[in-house]
Amino acid sequence: MVCERKDTYQPNIRKLKRDDTRSRKYECPLKSRGYYMVDETWKFNVIYGIHNHALNDKLAGHPIVCRLVPGGRELVLDMTLNMVASKNILASLKWKIPLNVSNIKQIYNVHTQDNKAVRGPRSKMQQLLKLLEDGDYVSRYKVCDDKVTVRDIL
């Protein structure tokens, strides 16, 4: 087992929009090894037990803490079906569950996962054509010579 800040950060080749962004990676040398014993217990040996960075008192912004609370996903999906804006969904979550520290990215992730689940194995274009057909819309489309690429859609 190693510290989550063990690896090194590889900066992008292109210049970032913000110069004040930092990585959480510090090449931390903390390392321990666990062994599963015959008597079905675990034994841990500390190989190197010192961090090279300060430990955080709170986990604000940490990926594990920003996850949606249990039941939050269903609440997001219900509010999405009622056409509530994402920022209002997040505000409602924070109002109903004061200990919730999730962010807008988690709401967008739930939207994306739900859209993929609804779409199933179809591509986005296939889903669009299916929705047009199911909604009884008048639509026409032309494909290229390869019979795969949609050229025009009306």
Side-chain angles (χ1 to χ4, degrees), residues 22 26-27 29 36 42 48-49 52 64-65 77 82 88 91 104-105 107-108 111-113 118 125 134-135 150 152:
R22 292 181 290 160
Y26 290 105
E27 298 182 35
Y36 189 69
W42 285 92
Y48 192 82
N52 66 351
I64 197 90
V65 177
L77 292 176
N82 292 323
N88 295 337
I104 196 74
K105 179 72 173 162
I107 307 297
Y108 292 146
H111 290 309
T112 303
Q113 291 166 1
V118 168
M125 184 57 71
D134 291 349
V150 174
D152 297 317

Side-chain angles (χ1 to χ4, degrees), residues 116-134:
K116 284 183 181 179
V118 168
R119 190 173 69 223
R122 293 182 295 273
S123 68
K124 291 180 182 179
M125 184 57 71
Q126 290 171 335
Q127 179 69 8
L128 172 66
L129 295 175
K130 180 188 175 300
L131 290 174
L132 289 172
E133 182 181 322
D134 291 349

Side-chain angles (χ1 to χ4, degrees), residues 13-108:
I13 295 172
R14 70 184 202 288
K15 185 165 174 72
L16 293 173
K17 225 176 190 182
R18 294 176 48 192
D19 290 331
D20 62 345
T21 59
R22 292 181 290 160
S23 172
R24 292 192 302 246
K25 304 297 183 186
Y26 290 105
E27 298 182 35
C28 182
L30 178 81
K31 196 177 212 181
S32 65
R33 178 163 296 199
Y35 300 98
Y36 189 69
M37 306 303 282
V38 178
D39 60 349
E40 297 182 359
T41 59
W42 285 92
K43 179 182 175 186
F44 286 93
N45 290 342
V46 177
I47 297 169
Y48 192 82
I50 300 173
H51 290 279
N52 66 351
H53 54 88
L55 299 176
N56 292 340
D57 293 337
K58 58 183 182 176
L59 295 172
H62 193 279
I64 197 90
V65 177
C66 289
R67 293 185 303 181
L68 286 174
V69 295
R73 180 179 174 79
E74 291 78 20
L75 185 63
V76 169
L77 292 176
D78 289 343
M79 294 177 85
T80 303
L81 287 176
N82 292 323
M83 305 300 272
V84 178
S86 297
K87 66 178 183 177
N88 295 337
I89 293 174
L90 181 62
S92 177
L93 274 174
K94 289 185 183 271
W95 180 73
K96 288 182 179 179
I97 308 167
L99 297 177
N100 182 17
V101 293
S102 58
N103 52 25
I104 196 74
K105 179 72 173 162
Q106 305 306 318
I107 307 297
Y108 292 146

